[in-house]
Amino acid sequence: MKIEKPEIRLAMLGMIEGNGHPYSWSAIVNGYNPEEMAKCPFPVIPQYLAEVPPNTMRILGARVTRVWTDDPADAPKVAAASRIEKVVARPEDVIGQVDAVIIGTDDGHEHVRRARPFIEAGLPMFVDKPLAINVPDLNQFIRWYNEGKVFLSSSNMRYAPETKQILRQKAQLGDLRWITTCTSKTWERYAIHALEAIWPVLGPGFLTVRSESRPGSDIAYLTHQSGVQINLAAIYDAVGSYGALHVFGTKGNLAVTCWDTYTAFRNQLCAFVEMLRTGERPYPLSETIELMAVVIAGLRSRERCGAVVELKEIYAELEPPFGRK
């Protein structure tokens, strides 16, 4: 599906506690009103937006024209801050008024419900990470994919510019042996951030997940077909840990922190807009499916008191073309 219009109209839908994407993503696409954005309840958003020259803001050829939030009181504030022309009373009201939809919430267990009206209406969509955190929901997205429905999902960490430093220096590190990374919040909401940060370094091939859980944290041990071992910590209140990544090889090691949130978000949104224009995915859905399988395996390991869960167990439950024994 290609959208051949001078300006693609987007709807920004949903906002839940702890997630300010409707403010930040809409501002990156539309530009923003500094006075109204200063009232944003997520202080980090106006802070990093203010570091960007105003003349570089905006994604040309796209505009967020409709917004809906879970709490109706939030939508007018987002609209005023991020220059969105219309607030809608129901999310379904955007059907027929926009060319594509962005689901801006990171509640993976709700994404099938949130996406269904728009997928069934034939609207392409971007779904915030994680796409799905259980097998039935992941299979529903696979069925929609098999029906030709168009959707994309990722963490902004896939596009973090700092990970390129690891790729540039990879030869100096020798053969990679171990990666440690940490994120805040919960495994189900934020493990995908850490996983997509290491994806450019490792690529596909995760084999097992074992999670040690206690109140306030999940610390997982992952194996990969490359032989690299990974420790991924989701420590709920460790806000300062977000984006930290340390790579160890046979010749050296390198620590980076992915701090350029604006660039990562902008690259992520530009990839979606480019997909709408060209009809070509920026990466295959198989990558998202594998990452969701890792998240699901981590949750199963938690439920099984830290038992090792093999990814092939998850794949055996998935529908074609992604399910395999």
Side-chain angles (χ1 to χ4, degrees), residues 190-238:
Y190 264 45
I192 183 59
H193 277 314
L195 288 167
E196 293 225 40
I198 64 177
W199 184 271
V201 180
L202 290 181
F206 288 96
L207 299 175
T208 65
V209 182
R210 177 173 61 81
S211 179
E212 179 178 314
S213 300
R214 61 184 63 185
S217 73
D218 293 286
I219 299 178
Y221 171 67
L222 291 70
T223 61
H224 190 270
Q225 67 181 11
S226 64
V228 177
Q229 302 174 79
I230 304 105
N231 282 109
L232 194 166
I235 300 175
Y236 301 179
D237 62 356

Side-chain angles (χ1 to χ4, degrees), residues 182-185 216 233-243:
C182 190
T183 186
S184 58
K185 299 191 180 179
I235 300 175
Y236 301 179
D237 62 356
V239 178
S241 71
Y242 179 79

Side-chain angles (χ1 to χ4, degrees), residues 180-303:
T180 65
T181 182
C182 190
T183 186
S184 58
K185 299 191 180 179
T186 62
W187 174 271
E188 41 267 71
R189 286 180 73 173
Y190 264 45
I192 183 59
H193 277 314
L195 288 167
E196 293 225 40
I198 64 177
W199 184 271
V201 180
L202 290 181
F206 288 96
L207 299 175
T208 65
V209 182
R210 177 173 61 81
S211 179
E212 179 178 314
S213 300
R214 61 184 63 185
S217 73
D218 293 286
I219 299 178
Y221 171 67
L222 291 70
T223 61
H224 190 270
Q225 67 181 11
S226 64
V228 177
Q229 302 174 79
I230 304 105
N231 282 109
L232 194 166
I235 300 175
Y236 301 179
D237 62 356
V239 178
S241 71
Y242 179 79
L245 180 65
H246 203 150
V247 181
F248 299 82
T250 54
K251 296 180 180 178
N253 69 91
L254 178 63
V256 300
T257 300
C258 300
W259 60 267
D260 189 351
T261 303
Y262 173 82
T263 298
F265 277 146
R266 181 180 177 82
N267 291 345
Q268 180 185 37
L269 292 165
C270 285
F272 177 55
V273 171
E274 183 67 11
M275 184 185 82
L276 297 176
R277 291 223 168 272
T278 65
E280 297 180 4
R281 297 182 60 88
Y283 49 88
L285 183 61
S286 60
E287 295 187 9
T288 304
I289 298 297
E290 178 168 341
L291 291 167
M292 294 306 97
V294 174
V295 171
I296 293 167
L299 293 174
R300 288 193 183 180
S301 180
R302 177 203 289 170
E303 294 166 358

Side-chain angles (χ1 to χ4, degrees), residues 12-26:
M12 186 68 64
L13 303 178
M15 190 166 79
I16 60 175
E17 183 179 356
N19 189 328
H21 290 337
Y23 279 98
S24 56
W25 288 358
S26 301

Side-chain angles (χ1 to χ4, degrees), residues 27-28 31-32 47-58 262-263 266:
I28 291 168
Y32 67 100
Q47 288 173 10
Y48 70 69
L49 290 177
E51 296 172 359
V52 180
N55 63 339
T56 67
M57 195 73 66
R58 288 269 292 118
Y262 173 82
T263 298
R266 181 180 177 82

Side-chain angles (χ1 to χ4, degrees), residues 152-200:
L152 190 68
S153 181
S154 74
S155 159
N156 67 310
M157 298 294 277
R158 173 181 285 266
Y159 299 96
E162 294 83 1
T163 59
K164 294 180 181 178
Q165 181 183 356
I166 300 173
L167 298 176
R168 286 194 299 267
Q169 297 183 227
K170 195 171 180 180
Q172 301 170 33
L173 301 176
D175 295 329
L176 299 186
R177 292 289 182 261
W178 186 36
I179 296 176
T180 65
T181 182
C182 190
T183 186
S184 58
K185 299 191 180 179
T186 62
W187 174 271
E188 41 267 71
R189 286 180 73 173
Y190 264 45
I192 183 59
H193 277 314
L195 288 167
E196 293 225 40
I198 64 177
W199 184 271

Side-chain angles (χ1 to χ4, degrees), residues 43-184:
V44 68
I45 293 175
Q47 288 173 10
Y48 70 69
L49 290 177
E51 296 172 359
V52 180
N55 63 339
T56 67
M57 195 73 66
R58 288 269 292 118
I59 295 178
L60 298 180
R63 179 168 289 278
V64 178
T65 63
R66 300 288 188 276
V67 63
W68 175 86
T69 56
D70 292 66
D71 182 345
D74 289 328
K77 301 172 187 177
V78 174
S82 299
R83 297 176 175 169
I84 303 171
E85 65 188 52
K86 190 171 180 60
V87 172
V88 296
R90 303 180 310 132
E92 295 84 357
D93 290 344
V94 307
I95 295 172
Q97 303 300 312
V98 298
D99 304 302
V101 165
I102 297 175
I103 302 294
T105 63
D106 58 0
D107 49 352
H109 63 291
E110 291 283 346
H111 281 162
V112 165
R113 177 186 67 81
R114 290 181 183 272
R116 187 182 299 277
F118 314 103
I119 289 279
E120 293 181 350
L123 281 169
M125 65 178 359
F126 182 88
V127 183
D128 189 23
K129 54 71 196 148
L131 179 65
I133 59 172
N134 59 67
V135 166
D137 284 356
L138 192 54
N139 274 331
Q140 179 59 67
F141 278 106
I142 291 172
R143 286 192 290 273
W144 281 332
Y145 171 80
N146 289 336
E147 293 169 7
K149 307 300 185 182
V150 178
F151 58 89
L152 190 68
S153 181
S154 74
S155 159
N156 67 310
M157 298 294 277
R158 173 181 285 266
Y159 299 96
E162 294 83 1
T163 59
K164 294 180 181 178
Q165 181 183 356
I166 300 173
L167 298 176
R168 286 194 299 267
Q169 297 183 227
K170 195 171 180 180
Q172 301 170 33
L173 301 176
D175 295 329
L176 299 186
R177 292 289 182 261
W178 186 36
I179 296 176
T180 65
T181 182
C182 190
T183 186
S184 58

